[in-house]
Amino acid sequence: MIDIAPHPQISVRIHFIGAEKTPLLIIDNLVADPEALIDVAVRSNFTPYGRFFPGVRARAPMEYETFLRQVLTPYLKEHFALGERELKFVMCHYSLVTTPANRLNMLQRIPHFDSVEPNGLASVHYLFKKDLGGTAFYRHRKTGYESIDLGRQESYFRSLEGENDGPNLPDAKYINGDTALYEQLLNVEACFNRLIIYPRNSLHSGSIGENFVPDPNPATGRLSINTFIDMV
């Protein structure tokens, strides 16, 4: 059991990303005791998770989901048209980036989207104090897409297939800024105990620099809690 309470100096602001004006919620000073969440992570069993995330993950405490539901609901009603719908937590995991840049697969070198569903949200809660990079949002230059829905999915992947075989093939590194294929729209700094929340169909990526050295220790590595939320 872990007691999770809001920080007494919690602050919230809203941004709108790119030409599509995608809402992005930034909440600073989220929890009163972020070190307690790190302590739980240190005792957790991290394992590889899928073929897209460049690291390992472990289940976050159920109390964290309860806390997020209580804290986020009023803000989602205001900024994400939650209305009378409820929040369903699809995933809530500690995430630790552990893959060296030269071992990234092709899809890990470019921005990604988590879902094409219109009512899906993602949140990232930064739990590291070093300068290890935040989260950036992108526009695909050829299509102009800043988000991918069902209607755009086929044309987006068709475009990528043509581009990835040409001279603009992404280098073996984490994307961190403009490239020949993508324009960076916004780079959100990863402040300790900051949470961001945005639609899951946004093109985004961790903004990890070329000097990044993977650290498998949750107490000192690039640790976050990543959550997928459906509004149902």
Side-chain angles (χ1 to χ4, degrees):
M1 295 288 291
I2 179 174
D3 183 24
I4 307 175
H7 196 286
Q9 295 179 328
I10 192 171
S11 67
V12 181
R13 64 186 189 275
I14 186 76
H15 283 262
F16 295 94
I17 306 169
E20 295 181 10
K21 302 298 181 185
T22 301
L24 167 73
L25 205 62
I26 301 177
I27 303 178
D28 286 315
N29 300 317
L30 179 66
V31 300
D33 187 7
E35 300 289 351
L37 287 171
I38 298 173
D39 290 343
V40 173
V42 169
R43 301 192 302 270
S44 297
N45 180 31
F46 282 78
T47 58
Y49 186 92
R51 62 190 182 95
F52 297 118
F53 178 68
V56 291
R57 283 179 163 158
R59 187 72 171 83
M62 288 298 298
E63 294 90 342
Y64 184 81
E65 290 187 18
T66 301
F67 166 80
L68 277 191
R69 189 186 307 275
Q70 294 171 346
V71 170
L72 292 183
T73 295
Y75 301 121
L76 300 188
K77 284 181 178 290
E78 180 179 359
H79 300 296
F80 288 92
L82 175 62
E84 298 305 315
R85 291 175 294 176
E86 296 185 356
L87 304 184
K88 177 183 178 182
F89 288 79
V90 182
M91 183 196 81
C92 189
H93 287 165
Y94 287 109
S95 299
L96 190 61
V97 177
T98 57
T99 303
N102 61 4
R103 291 180 54 195
L104 295 173
N105 65 46
M106 186 59 63
L107 291 179
Q108 292 171 334
R109 304 177 194 175
I110 62 174
H112 66 278
F113 59 97
D114 301 311
S115 171
V116 296
E117 297 303 322
N119 295 322
L121 301 174
S123 71
V124 183
H125 184 189
Y126 305 111
L127 291 173
F128 52 91
K129 299 175 183 178
K130 298 177 183 178
D131 182 12
L132 300 177
T135 303
F137 297 84
Y138 290 87
R139 175 187 297 120
H140 181 235
R141 293 185 188 274
K142 186 174 180 179
T143 61
Y145 296 161
E146 299 173 9
S147 60
I148 309 298
D149 58 17
L150 279 173
R152 294 177 171 182
Q153 186 175 17
E154 182 178 352
S155 60
Y156 175 66
F157 282 123
R158 190 186 312 120
S159 179
L160 280 185
E161 287 174 2
E163 294 172 317
N164 285 344
D165 291 333
N168 296 327
L169 184 75
D171 295 331
K173 63 181 182 180
Y174 289 95
I175 186 171
N176 189 17
D178 290 343
T179 70
L181 303 185
Y182 293 91
E183 175 189 359
Q184 187 181 96
L185 302 174
L186 178 68
N187 185 8
V188 183
E189 183 180 355
C191 296
F192 181 61
N193 201 22
R194 165 178 287 175
L195 179 137
I196 64 172
I197 187 164
Y198 51 89
R200 290 211 306 271
N201 63 358
S202 300
L203 286 170
H204 64 281
S205 178
S207 51
I208 299 174
E210 293 188 11
N211 296 325
F212 173 74
V213 178
D215 182 351
N217 184 349
T220 53
R222 193 181 187 279
L223 177 71
S224 62
I225 299 180
N226 292 61
T227 307
F228 289 168
I229 307 170
D230 285 345
M231 299 187 294
V232 296

